[in-house]
Every structure is written in structure tokens, then in C-alpha cells.
Amino acid sequence: MIVRTAGDRAVLVEYTDLAETMAFYRALQKSRIADVEDLIPAARTVLVRHSGAVDRITAWIRATQPAAEQDSRPADAVVISVDYTGEDLEDVADATGLTVAEVVAAHTEQTWTVAFGGFAPGFGYLVGTDARLHVPRRPRPRTTVPAGSVGLAGEFSGVYPRSSPGGWQLIGTTDAVLWDARRDPPALLTPGATVRFEQA
């Protein structure tokens, strides 16, 4: 790991890959000390916002050992109902060598984990356990993707919280509200949460 100061009140910790980042994020969350105000994970980093001495924060980070993957019961997962009629569903089936039904089954029969948020408020980058669904982004992004679109790109799945441009392979749609400023927290999908998709 590489630890860098990021202004007076933050430390940026760099890791080698997504799996290592998620393991350390879980551990930092679990062993969080009083001076830590927020932990913000990304694909290869965790930003630690704090109100204490940087030496103390850095020592805590370096002393923290990675946490094993959490065993979450299905009841703990956020369940998102999906209408699997996305524009790219057949393209995903062709790219993976699966049938459309097998793509849907692969998406619904695994538990996903929110690795980090980004792109737009409420957008969670979800990682699963079935590598058969790893597909590239579309060669040409769409100028508009409807809110609630469920997609795949690389190792991730995600749900567009609002209408926006995007290049993910769209496999379905959901009515779930991903971002609501009146909710606490506003994002339905927060880092570390588990998610299960079910066919509508």
C-alpha cells in the first residue's frame, strides 16, 4: 500500500487492485478510530477523511490487516427487481456464449457487493462472483441511458440512478429509486452493501 496525505484533513491510501481495496476498506470500517470522519472507497484507493493527527491516522492505516469477505445472509441484501428486456441482452448473450435465460440466471443467482460509488449520485459499482458476465463496454456509448437501466461493463454491474450518457451493456430496467435526498442515507446502494437481483 502507498499512503499519501491529501490536504490537511485527509489521507489517500493506494492499493494494488479492487479485491485488496475492498478487503482493506472492510477492515478500516470495522476498526475505525474516533478521529476518522469518513471512508470513501474507489477502484484502487480509499480516501480517509479525519480530524486528528496525520501520524496517528497513518499508523492506524498501516496496522490494519485486510478483512475476509463478509458472509451476508440473503435477508441482509438489498433486493432489486429487474425487468430483463434490456436493449443489449442478446448482445451480452452472444459475447458470453450463454443463452439469454442463462445471462438472466447468472445475474440473479449470485450475490453482488457494492465496491464503491461514483459516476453519478447513487450509482454503485457492483462486483459479483460469476466471471461469465464480464463483458466490455459498448464500442460507442449512448448519449442517453434511461434512469433505472441495469447494465454490465467489465467486471461490474450497476443501475443508472438517473438519465445520463453511458456505455454499459443494458440488460434490464428497474423501478428502484437509487438516490433520494430525503432518505438516510440518500443512496440505496452504499459501499460494502450486498445486492441481489430478482426477475420481475
Side-chain angles (χ1 to χ4, degrees):
M1 87 178 62
I2 299 172
V3 182
R4 305 178 190 275
T5 56
D8 296 334
R9 291 289 179 253
V11 172
L12 185 69
V13 191
E14 299 179 9
Y15 299 103
T16 58
D17 57 27
L18 179 61
E20 184 181 57
T21 303
M22 292 177 67
F24 275 97
Y25 172 73
R26 287 191 295 268
L28 292 170
Q29 279 280 55
K30 188 174 181 180
S31 67
R32 193 172 181 153
I33 59 178
D35 293 339
V36 174
E37 296 177 347
D38 201 4
L39 297 168
I40 305 168
R44 303 288 184 272
T45 61
V46 176
L47 182 71
V48 182
R49 292 180 57 242
H50 65 87
S51 58
V54 69
D55 290 347
R56 170 174 155 76
I57 298 298
T58 300
W60 164 67
I61 291 168
R62 293 194 181 282
T64 301
Q65 296 299 309
E69 188 171 352
Q70 294 167 319
D71 294 323
S72 296
R73 295 167 295 158
D76 295 331
V78 176
V79 178
I80 296 177
S81 180
V82 177
D83 176 9
Y84 286 96
T85 54
E87 295 178 51
D88 304 319
L89 185 57
E90 290 189 7
D91 291 341
V92 169
D94 289 342
T96 58
L98 302 173
T99 65
V100 166
E102 287 170 336
V103 170
V104 173
H107 199 248
T108 57
E109 291 176 0
Q110 63 181 307
T111 298
W112 298 82
T113 302
V114 184
F116 56 94
F119 172 63
F123 190 95
Y125 286 79
L126 313 180
V127 292
T129 55
D130 193 339
R132 294 179 301 166
L133 292 185
H134 293 187
V135 293
R137 292 172 181 263
R138 289 176 52 82
R140 291 186 180 173
R142 293 180 170 92
T143 56
T144 303
V145 175
S149 295
V150 179
L152 299 168
E155 63 193 296
F156 300 109
S157 187
V159 182
Y160 286 76
R162 63 183 185 196
S163 178
S164 64
W168 289 36
Q169 306 278 1
L170 305 182
I171 61 172
T173 58
T174 181
D175 292 330
V177 178
L178 278 292
W179 179 264
D180 183 347
R182 298 165 297 181
R183 188 168 53 199
D184 184 22
L188 178 64
L189 306 180
T190 56
T194 54
V195 179
R196 291 194 65 86
F197 293 99
E198 64 178 21
Q199 188 165 12

Short mmCIF file of all heavy atoms in Angstrom, two decimals, residues 55-108:
data_model
loop_
_atom_site.label_atom_id
_atom_site.label_comp_id
_atom_site.label_asym_id
_atom_site.label_seq_id
_atom_site.Cartn_x
_atom_site.Cartn_y
_atom_site.Cartn_z
N ASP A 55 -0.08 11.52 11.69
CA ASP A 55 0.77 10.39 12.08
C ASP A 55 -0.06 9.29 12.74
O ASP A 55 0.18 8.10 12.50
CB ASP A 55 1.87 10.86 13.04
CG ASP A 55 2.91 11.72 12.35
OD1 ASP A 55 2.92 11.74 11.10
OD2 ASP A 55 3.71 12.36 13.05
N ARG A 56 -1.01 9.68 13.56
CA ARG A 56 -1.87 8.69 14.23
C ARG A 56 -2.75 7.98 13.20
O ARG A 56 -2.91 6.75 13.25
CB ARG A 56 -2.74 9.41 15.28
CG ARG A 56 -3.84 8.56 15.89
CD ARG A 56 -4.53 9.32 17.02
NE ARG A 56 -5.87 8.87 17.26
CZ ARG A 56 -6.21 7.76 17.90
NH1 ARG A 56 -5.27 6.96 18.35
NH2 ARG A 56 -7.47 7.44 18.08
N ILE A 57 -3.30 8.72 12.26
CA ILE A 57 -4.14 8.13 11.22
C ILE A 57 -3.33 7.16 10.37
O ILE A 57 -3.75 6.04 10.07
CB ILE A 57 -4.78 9.22 10.34
CG1 ILE A 57 -5.69 10.13 11.17
CG2 ILE A 57 -5.54 8.61 9.17
CD1 ILE A 57 -6.86 9.42 11.82
N THR A 58 -2.14 7.59 9.97
CA THR A 58 -1.28 6.75 9.13
C THR A 58 -0.88 5.48 9.86
O THR A 58 -0.86 4.39 9.27
CB THR A 58 -0.04 7.55 8.68
OG1 THR A 58 -0.47 8.69 7.94
CG2 THR A 58 0.86 6.70 7.80
N ALA A 59 -0.56 5.59 11.14
CA ALA A 59 -0.19 4.41 11.93
C ALA A 59 -1.34 3.42 12.01
O ALA A 59 -1.15 2.20 11.89
CB ALA A 59 0.26 4.84 13.32
N TRP A 60 -2.56 3.93 12.20
CA TRP A 60 -3.75 3.06 12.25
C TRP A 60 -3.95 2.35 10.90
O TRP A 60 -4.21 1.14 10.86
CB TRP A 60 -4.97 3.90 12.61
CG TRP A 60 -6.28 3.24 12.34
CD1 TRP A 60 -6.81 2.15 12.97
CD2 TRP A 60 -7.23 3.63 11.33
NE1 TRP A 60 -8.03 1.83 12.42
CE2 TRP A 60 -8.32 2.72 11.43
CE3 TRP A 60 -7.27 4.65 10.39
CZ2 TRP A 60 -9.43 2.82 10.60
CZ3 TRP A 60 -8.38 4.75 9.56
CH2 TRP A 60 -9.44 3.84 9.67
N ILE A 61 -3.81 3.10 9.81
CA ILE A 61 -3.98 2.50 8.49
C ILE A 61 -2.97 1.39 8.27
O ILE A 61 -3.32 0.28 7.83
CB ILE A 61 -3.84 3.58 7.39
CG1 ILE A 61 -5.02 4.55 7.44
CG2 ILE A 61 -3.73 2.94 6.01
CD1 ILE A 61 -4.83 5.80 6.60
N ARG A 62 -1.71 1.66 8.59
CA ARG A 62 -0.65 0.66 8.34
C ARG A 62 -0.78 -0.55 9.25
O ARG A 62 -0.36 -1.65 8.88
CB ARG A 62 0.72 1.32 8.50
CG ARG A 62 1.03 2.35 7.42
CD ARG A 62 2.50 2.72 7.39
NE ARG A 62 2.79 3.72 6.37
CZ ARG A 62 2.90 3.48 5.08
NH1 ARG A 62 2.73 2.25 4.62
NH2 ARG A 62 3.18 4.46 4.22
N ALA A 63 -1.37 -0.39 10.42
CA ALA A 63 -1.52 -1.51 11.35
C ALA A 63 -2.74 -2.37 11.05
O ALA A 63 -2.87 -3.49 11.57
CB ALA A 63 -1.62 -0.98 12.78
N THR A 64 -3.63 -1.88 10.20
CA THR A 64 -4.87 -2.60 9.90
C THR A 64 -4.61 -3.73 8.90
O THR A 64 -4.00 -3.52 7.86
CB THR A 64 -5.92 -1.62 9.32
OG1 THR A 64 -6.15 -0.59 10.28
CG2 THR A 64 -7.22 -2.35 9.02
N GLN A 65 -5.08 -4.91 9.25
CA GLN A 65 -4.95 -6.08 8.37
C GLN A 65 -6.22 -6.24 7.54
O GLN A 65 -7.32 -5.93 7.99
CB GLN A 65 -4.72 -7.35 9.21
CG GLN A 65 -3.42 -7.32 9.99
CD GLN A 65 -2.21 -7.21 9.07
OE1 GLN A 65 -2.08 -7.97 8.12
NE2 GLN A 65 -1.34 -6.24 9.34
N PRO A 66 -6.11 -6.75 6.31
CA PRO A 66 -7.30 -6.87 5.45
C PRO A 66 -8.33 -7.82 6.05
O PRO A 66 -7.98 -8.80 6.70
CB PRO A 66 -6.74 -7.42 4.13
CG PRO A 66 -5.44 -8.05 4.50
CD PRO A 66 -4.90 -7.26 5.66
N ALA A 67 -9.59 -7.51 5.83
CA ALA A 67 -10.68 -8.33 6.36
C ALA A 67 -11.14 -9.32 5.32
O ALA A 67 -11.15 -9.03 4.12
CB ALA A 67 -11.84 -7.43 6.78
N ALA A 68 -11.53 -10.49 5.78
CA ALA A 68 -12.08 -11.50 4.87
C ALA A 68 -13.42 -11.04 4.34
O ALA A 68 -14.09 -10.19 4.93
CB ALA A 68 -12.23 -12.83 5.61
N GLU A 69 -13.83 -11.61 3.21
CA GLU A 69 -15.12 -11.25 2.62
C GLU A 69 -16.23 -11.59 3.59
O GLU A 69 -16.24 -12.64 4.22
CB GLU A 69 -15.32 -12.01 1.31
CG GLU A 69 -16.54 -11.56 0.55
CD GLU A 69 -16.60 -12.17 -0.83
OE1 GLU A 69 -15.64 -12.82 -1.26
OE2 GLU A 69 -17.64 -11.97 -1.49
N GLN A 70 -17.17 -10.67 3.71
CA GLN A 70 -18.26 -10.85 4.65
C GLN A 70 -19.21 -11.94 4.17
O GLN A 70 -19.47 -12.07 2.98
CB GLN A 70 -19.05 -9.54 4.81
CG GLN A 70 -18.23 -8.43 5.45
CD GLN A 70 -18.93 -7.09 5.31
OE1 GLN A 70 -19.48 -6.78 4.28
NE2 GLN A 70 -18.88 -6.31 6.37
N ASP A 71 -19.70 -12.70 5.14
CA ASP A 71 -20.73 -13.69 4.83
C ASP A 71 -22.08 -13.06 5.15
O ASP A 71 -22.48 -12.99 6.31
CB ASP A 71 -20.53 -14.96 5.67
CG ASP A 71 -19.25 -15.67 5.29
OD1 ASP A 71 -18.93 -15.67 4.10
OD2 ASP A 71 -18.58 -16.22 6.18
N SER A 72 -22.77 -12.57 4.14
CA SER A 72 -24.05 -11.90 4.35
C SER A 72 -25.19 -12.85 4.02
O SER A 72 -25.17 -13.54 3.01
CB SER A 72 -24.15 -10.66 3.46
OG SER A 72 -23.17 -9.72 3.81
N ARG A 73 -26.16 -12.89 4.89
CA ARG A 73 -27.35 -13.70 4.63
C ARG A 73 -28.18 -13.00 3.56
O ARG A 73 -28.19 -11.78 3.47
CB ARG A 73 -28.17 -13.84 5.91
CG ARG A 73 -27.45 -14.61 7.01
CD ARG A 73 -28.18 -14.44 8.31
NE ARG A 73 -28.12 -13.03 8.73
CZ ARG A 73 -28.98 -12.47 9.58
NH1 ARG A 73 -29.96 -13.17 10.08
NH2 ARG A 73 -28.85 -11.20 9.92
N PRO A 74 -28.92 -13.75 2.73
CA PRO A 74 -29.75 -13.12 1.71
C PRO A 74 -30.68 -12.06 2.28
O PRO A 74 -30.97 -11.08 1.63
CB PRO A 74 -30.53 -14.30 1.13
CG PRO A 74 -29.63 -15.48 1.34
CD PRO A 74 -28.92 -15.21 2.65
N ALA A 75 -31.16 -12.25 3.53
CA ALA A 75 -32.06 -11.27 4.13
C ALA A 75 -31.38 -9.92 4.32
O ALA A 75 -32.05 -8.89 4.43
CB ALA A 75 -32.59 -11.80 5.46
N ASP A 76 -30.06 -9.91 4.40
CA ASP A 76 -29.32 -8.66 4.60
C ASP A 76 -29.13 -7.89 3.30
O ASP A 76 -28.73 -6.73 3.32
CB ASP A 76 -27.94 -8.95 5.19
CG ASP A 76 -28.03 -9.55 6.59
OD1 ASP A 76 -29.01 -9.26 7.30
OD2 ASP A 76 -27.12 -10.28 6.96
N ALA A 77 -29.37 -8.53 2.18
CA ALA A 77 -29.09 -7.92 0.90
C ALA A 77 -30.20 -6.96 0.47
O ALA A 77 -31.37 -7.16 0.79
CB ALA A 77 -28.90 -9.00 -0.18
N VAL A 78 -29.81 -5.92 -0.27
CA VAL A 78 -30.79 -5.07 -0.95
C VAL A 78 -31.30 -5.87 -2.15
O VAL A 78 -30.51 -6.37 -2.95
CB VAL A 78 -30.14 -3.76 -1.43
CG1 VAL A 78 -31.14 -2.92 -2.21
CG2 VAL A 78 -29.57 -2.97 -0.25
N VAL A 79 -32.59 -6.02 -2.27
CA VAL A 79 -33.18 -6.79 -3.37
C VAL A 79 -33.75 -5.82 -4.40
O VAL A 79 -34.54 -4.93 -4.07
CB VAL A 79 -34.28 -7.75 -2.87
CG1 VAL A 79 -34.90 -8.50 -4.04
CG2 VAL A 79 -33.70 -8.73 -1.85
N ILE A 80 -33.32 -5.98 -5.65
CA ILE A 80 -33.75 -5.10 -6.75
C ILE A 80 -34.46 -5.95 -7.80
O ILE A 80 -33.88 -6.90 -8.34
CB ILE A 80 -32.56 -4.36 -7.36
CG1 ILE A 80 -31.94 -3.43 -6.30
CG2 ILE A 80 -32.98 -3.58 -8.59
CD1 ILE A 80 -30.71 -2.69 -6.78
N SER A 81 -35.71 -5.61 -8.06
CA SER A 81 -36.50 -6.33 -9.06
C SER A 81 -36.21 -5.76 -10.44
O SER A 81 -36.24 -4.53 -10.63
CB SER A 81 -37.98 -6.19 -8.72
OG SER A 81 -38.77 -6.88 -9.65
N VAL A 82 -35.93 -6.63 -11.41
CA VAL A 82 -35.50 -6.20 -12.74
C VAL A 82 -36.37 -6.84 -13.82
O VAL A 82 -36.66 -8.04 -13.78
CB VAL A 82 -34.02 -6.59 -12.98
CG1 VAL A 82 -33.58 -6.20 -14.40
CG2 VAL A 82 -33.11 -5.96 -11.94
N ASP A 83 -36.76 -6.01 -14.77
CA ASP A 83 -37.40 -6.49 -15.99
C ASP A 83 -36.28 -6.72 -17.01
O ASP A 83 -35.70 -5.76 -17.52
CB ASP A 83 -38.39 -5.44 -16.50
CG ASP A 83 -39.04 -5.82 -17.83
OD1 ASP A 83 -38.86 -6.97 -18.28
OD2 ASP A 83 -39.71 -4.96 -18.42
N TYR A 84 -35.94 -7.96 -17.25
CA TYR A 84 -34.80 -8.29 -18.12
C TYR A 84 -35.20 -8.26 -19.60
O TYR A 84 -35.36 -9.28 -20.26
CB TYR A 84 -34.24 -9.65 -17.73
CG TYR A 84 -33.45 -9.61 -16.44
CD1 TYR A 84 -34.04 -9.96 -15.23
CD2 TYR A 84 -32.11 -9.22 -16.44
CE1 TYR A 84 -33.32 -9.91 -14.04
CE2 TYR A 84 -31.38 -9.16 -15.26
CZ TYR A 84 -31.99 -9.51 -14.06
OH TYR A 84 -31.27 -9.45 -12.89
N THR A 85 -35.35 -7.04 -20.09
CA THR A 85 -35.65 -6.82 -21.51
C THR A 85 -34.74 -5.73 -22.06
O THR A 85 -35.15 -4.96 -22.94
CB THR A 85 -37.13 -6.43 -21.72
OG1 THR A 85 -37.43 -5.28 -20.89
CG2 THR A 85 -38.06 -7.57 -21.35
N GLY A 86 -33.51 -5.65 -21.56
CA GLY A 86 -32.59 -4.60 -21.97
C GLY A 86 -32.18 -4.70 -23.43
O GLY A 86 -32.15 -5.79 -24.01
N GLU A 87 -31.85 -3.55 -24.01
CA GLU A 87 -31.51 -3.48 -25.43
C GLU A 87 -30.30 -4.35 -25.80
O GLU A 87 -30.18 -4.79 -26.95
CB GLU A 87 -31.20 -2.04 -25.83
CG GLU A 87 -32.38 -1.09 -25.73
CD GLU A 87 -31.98 0.33 -26.08
OE1 GLU A 87 -31.36 0.52 -27.16
OE2 GLU A 87 -32.27 1.23 -25.29
N ASP A 88 -29.41 -4.56 -24.86
CA ASP A 88 -28.17 -5.28 -25.17
C ASP A 88 -28.15 -6.71 -24.64
O ASP A 88 -27.11 -7.37 -24.66
CB ASP A 88 -26.96 -4.52 -24.59
CG ASP A 88 -26.90 -3.09 -25.09
OD1 ASP A 88 -27.14 -2.88 -26.29
OD2 ASP A 88 -26.60 -2.19 -24.28
N LEU A 89 -29.29 -7.19 -24.17
CA LEU A 89 -29.32 -8.51 -23.54
C LEU A 89 -28.86 -9.60 -24.51
O LEU A 89 -28.06 -10.47 -24.15
CB LEU A 89 -30.73 -8.81 -23.02
CG LEU A 89 -30.90 -10.11 -22.24
CD1 LEU A 89 -29.96 -10.18 -21.05
CD2 LEU A 89 -32.36 -10.25 -21.78
N GLU A 90 -29.33 -9.55 -25.74
CA GLU A 90 -28.93 -10.58 -26.71
C GLU A 90 -27.45 -10.44 -27.08
O GLU A 90 -26.75 -11.44 -27.27
CB GLU A 90 -29.80 -10.50 -27.96
CG GLU A 90 -31.24 -10.96 -27.71
CD GLU A 90 -32.04 -11.10 -28.99
OE1 GLU A 90 -31.46 -10.96 -30.08
OE2 GLU A 90 -33.26 -11.36 -28.88
N ASP A 91 -26.95 -9.19 -27.14
CA ASP A 91 -25.52 -8.98 -27.42
C ASP A 91 -24.67 -9.56 -26.30
O ASP A 91 -23.60 -10.14 -26.55
CB ASP A 91 -25.22 -7.49 -27.58
CG ASP A 91 -25.82 -6.91 -28.86
OD1 ASP A 91 -26.15 -7.70 -29.77
OD2 ASP A 91 -25.94 -5.68 -28.93
N VAL A 92 -25.12 -9.39 -25.05
CA VAL A 92 -24.39 -9.95 -23.91
C VAL A 92 -24.39 -11.46 -24.00
O VAL A 92 -23.36 -12.12 -23.74
CB VAL A 92 -25.00 -9.47 -22.58
CG1 VAL A 92 -24.43 -10.25 -21.40
CG2 VAL A 92 -24.75 -7.97 -22.39
N ALA A 93 -25.53 -12.04 -24.36
CA ALA A 93 -25.60 -13.50 -24.51
C ALA A 93 -24.61 -13.97 -25.58
O ALA A 93 -23.86 -14.94 -25.36
CB ALA A 93 -27.02 -13.92 -24.88
N ASP A 94 -24.56 -13.27 -26.70
CA ASP A 94 -23.62 -13.65 -27.77
C ASP A 94 -22.17 -13.53 -27.30
O ASP A 94 -21.34 -14.39 -27.57
CB ASP A 94 -23.83 -12.76 -29.00
CG ASP A 94 -25.14 -13.06 -29.73
OD1 ASP A 94 -25.71 -14.15 -29.50
OD2 ASP A 94 -25.58 -12.20 -30.51
N ALA A 95 -21.87 -12.44 -26.58
CA ALA A 95 -20.49 -12.19 -26.13
C ALA A 95 -20.02 -13.21 -25.10
O ALA A 95 -18.83 -13.55 -25.04
CB ALA A 95 -20.36 -10.78 -25.57
N THR A 96 -20.94 -13.71 -24.30
CA THR A 96 -20.57 -14.63 -23.22
C THR A 96 -20.72 -16.09 -23.61
O THR A 96 -20.24 -16.98 -22.89
CB THR A 96 -21.44 -14.37 -21.98
OG1 THR A 96 -22.82 -14.52 -22.34
CG2 THR A 96 -21.20 -12.97 -21.42
N GLY A 97 -21.41 -16.36 -24.72
CA GLY A 97 -21.66 -17.74 -25.10
C GLY A 97 -22.80 -18.37 -24.32
O GLY A 97 -23.00 -19.59 -24.36
N LEU A 98 -23.58 -17.55 -23.63
CA LEU A 98 -24.72 -18.03 -22.85
C LEU A 98 -26.00 -17.76 -23.63
O LEU A 98 -26.03 -16.93 -24.54
CB LEU A 98 -24.78 -17.31 -21.50
CG LEU A 98 -23.55 -17.42 -20.59
CD1 LEU A 98 -23.73 -16.51 -19.38
CD2 LEU A 98 -23.34 -18.86 -20.14
N THR A 99 -27.06 -18.42 -23.23
CA THR A 99 -28.37 -18.06 -23.75
C THR A 99 -28.86 -16.84 -22.97
O THR A 99 -28.33 -16.50 -21.91
CB THR A 99 -29.38 -19.20 -23.58
OG1 THR A 99 -29.59 -19.43 -22.18
CG2 THR A 99 -28.87 -20.49 -24.24
N VAL A 100 -29.90 -16.19 -23.48
CA VAL A 100 -30.49 -15.06 -22.75
C VAL A 100 -30.94 -15.51 -21.36
O VAL A 100 -30.71 -14.82 -20.37
CB VAL A 100 -31.66 -14.45 -23.56
CG1 VAL A 100 -32.51 -13.53 -22.68
CG2 VAL A 100 -31.14 -13.71 -24.77
N ALA A 101 -31.58 -16.66 -21.29
CA ALA A 101 -32.04 -17.17 -20.00
C ALA A 101 -30.88 -17.41 -19.05
O ALA A 101 -30.98 -17.17 -17.83
CB ALA A 101 -32.85 -18.45 -20.20
N GLU A 102 -29.76 -17.89 -19.58
CA GLU A 102 -28.59 -18.14 -18.74
C GLU A 102 -27.95 -16.84 -18.25
O GLU A 102 -27.43 -16.78 -17.14
CB GLU A 102 -27.57 -18.99 -19.50
CG GLU A 102 -28.00 -20.45 -19.66
CD GLU A 102 -27.11 -21.23 -20.62
OE1 GLU A 102 -26.46 -20.61 -21.50
OE2 GLU A 102 -27.08 -22.48 -20.49
N VAL A 103 -27.99 -15.81 -19.08
CA VAL A 103 -27.49 -14.49 -18.64
C VAL A 103 -28.33 -14.00 -17.46
O VAL A 103 -27.80 -13.56 -16.43
CB VAL A 103 -27.52 -13.46 -19.79
CG1 VAL A 103 -27.23 -12.06 -19.26
CG2 VAL A 103 -26.51 -13.84 -20.86
N VAL A 104 -29.64 -14.09 -17.59
CA VAL A 104 -30.54 -13.66 -16.52
C VAL A 104 -30.29 -14.48 -15.25
O VAL A 104 -30.19 -13.94 -14.15
CB VAL A 104 -32.01 -13.75 -16.97
CG1 VAL A 104 -32.95 -13.46 -15.80
CG2 VAL A 104 -32.28 -12.79 -18.12
N ALA A 105 -30.15 -15.78 -15.42
CA ALA A 105 -29.90 -16.64 -14.27
C ALA A 105 -28.57 -16.30 -13.59
O ALA A 105 -28.48 -16.23 -12.36
CB ALA A 105 -29.91 -18.11 -14.69
N ALA A 106 -27.54 -16.05 -14.40
CA ALA A 106 -26.24 -15.71 -13.83
C ALA A 106 -26.30 -14.40 -13.06
O ALA A 106 -25.63 -14.22 -12.04
CB ALA A 106 -25.19 -15.62 -14.94
N HIS A 107 -27.12 -13.46 -13.55
CA HIS A 107 -27.24 -12.16 -12.89
C HIS A 107 -28.04 -12.25 -11.59
O HIS A 107 -27.73 -11.56 -10.61
CB HIS A 107 -27.89 -11.16 -13.85
CG HIS A 107 -27.67 -9.74 -13.48
ND1 HIS A 107 -28.67 -8.90 -13.06
CD2 HIS A 107 -26.52 -8.98 -13.48
CE1 HIS A 107 -28.18 -7.70 -12.82
NE2 HIS A 107 -26.88 -7.72 -13.06
N THR A 108 -29.05 -13.12 -11.57
CA THR A 108 -29.93 -13.20 -10.40
C THR A 108 -29.50 -14.23 -9.37
O THR A 108 -29.91 -14.13 -8.21
CB THR A 108 -31.37 -13.53 -10.84
OG1 THR A 108 -31.38 -14.76 -11.58
CG2 THR A 108 -31.96 -12.42 -11.69
#
